[in-house]
Amino acid sequence: ELKVEQNPLFLSMQEGKNYTIYCNYSTTSDRLYWYRQDPGKSLESLFVLLSNGAVKQEGRLMASLDTKARLSTLHITAAVHDLSATYFCAVVLTNSGYALNFGKGTSLLVTP
Amino acid sequence: GAGVSQTPSNKVTEKGKYVELRCDPISGHTALYWYRQSLGQGPEFLIYFQGTGAADDSGLPNDRFFAVRPEGSVSTLKIQRTERGDSAVYLCASSLFIGETQYFGPGTRLLVL
């Protein structure tokens, strides 16, 4: 059974600080996505990571993928309040269709 | 351009009733996906279409749930004999081709009383 685990599930951090969110998955995956969800809103695609060692950056967010460890990280640099949201990782299993399998999400609150 | 749209945005129904939820994908997108999101959880896969055909319906929880996409564009998720446990936000997504990045709509919030 596939498990996609994120930690932490809740994160409160001060503006200007750095932090990393972790996403572990239990079986081989073809690709991994990170999405952002604001309260009451839908999901916004942030990154797609396709291969081992892939790294992508957009603004203060950087995502990486280690397929051997079945681990992805989302690193936040110098957090600002606008980054407050819930972040989901989602994996597509190898040879098992194209459904996204989501983690429970990390609820991030950036405070002054 | 226009994103994925879903109607209605909110639906309140009584236990045992039938509901239909509609999804309009991004124009030109060939693949369409349905997910369900309960409060405080990540979305759970229900079904996806490639063109008009349901390529994978393994996530549908039981035979009360059914989805169609007759012309390869708009899709309707149908729920018969609704139960209180069906209450959730139903999300639709589309991608240009199967396996590419999925773009989500705003969702339909279903409440079964």
Side-chain angles (χ1 to χ4, degrees), chain B residues 43-91:
Chain B
E44 294 177 305
F45 167 71
L46 295 176
I47 184 172
Y48 70 78
F49 293 85
Q50 189 169 2
T52 60
D56 183 351
D57 64 358
S58 62
L60 295 177
N62 52 59
D63 61 5
R64 295 187 297 105
F65 289 74
F66 190 70
V68 295
R69 194 186 186 201
E71 298 179 357
S73 178
V74 170
S75 176
T76 304
L77 178 65
K78 308 179 181 193
I79 310 173
Q80 299 177 321
R81 304 182 305 280
T82 51
E83 300 177 356
R84 293 193 180 87
D86 299 335
S87 297
V89 176
Y90 288 80
L91 295 166

Side-chain angles (χ1 to χ4, degrees), chain A residues 68-83:
Chain A
K68 294 179 181 178
R70 296 178 182 163
L71 170 68
S72 180
T73 61
L74 181 66
H75 186 72
I76 303 157
T77 301
V80 293
H81 179 70
D82 286 352
L83 290 179

Side-chain angles (χ1 to χ4, degrees), chain A residues 3-73:
Chain A
K3 291 183 180 179
V4 182
E5 296 183 341
Q6 289 183 235
N7 71 85
L9 296 182
F10 299 95
L11 174 58
S12 178
M13 57 189 298
Q14 287 184 316
E15 284 188 326
K17 298 292 186 182
N18 304 332
Y19 207 83
T20 299
I21 299 170
Y22 297 88
C23 174
N24 287 91
Y25 53 97
S26 59
T27 63
T28 306
S29 170
D30 278 343
R31 57 189 66 197
L32 187 142
Y33 295 84
W34 284 96
Y35 283 87
R36 168 182 172 146
Q37 187 174 39
D38 290 287
K41 305 292 185 182
S42 192
L43 289 93
E44 174 191 353
S45 174
L46 295 174
F47 302 108
V48 54
L49 303 166
L50 301 178
S51 59
N52 188 44
V55 176
K56 291 198 174 176
Q57 183 163 6
E58 180 73 34
R60 301 174 187 274
L61 300 177
M62 183 174 70
S64 66
L65 179 63
D66 180 341
T67 58
K68 294 179 181 178
R70 296 178 182 163
L71 170 68
S72 180
T73 61

Side-chain angles (χ1 to χ4, degrees), chain A residues 31 33 35 37 40 42-43 45 48 88 96-100 102-104, chain B residues 33 35 37 40-43 45 48 91 98-102 104-106:
Chain A
R31 57 189 66 197
Y33 295 84
Y35 283 87
Q37 187 174 39
S42 192
L43 289 93
S45 174
V48 54
F88 291 95
S96 189
Y98 299 97
L100 292 175
F102 284 85
K104 289 189 174 182
Chain B
Y33 313 76
Y35 294 83
Q37 186 176 24
Q41 301 294 317
F45 167 71
Y48 70 78
L91 295 166
I98 197 78
E100 297 193 355
T101 296
Q102 297 177 29
F104 283 80

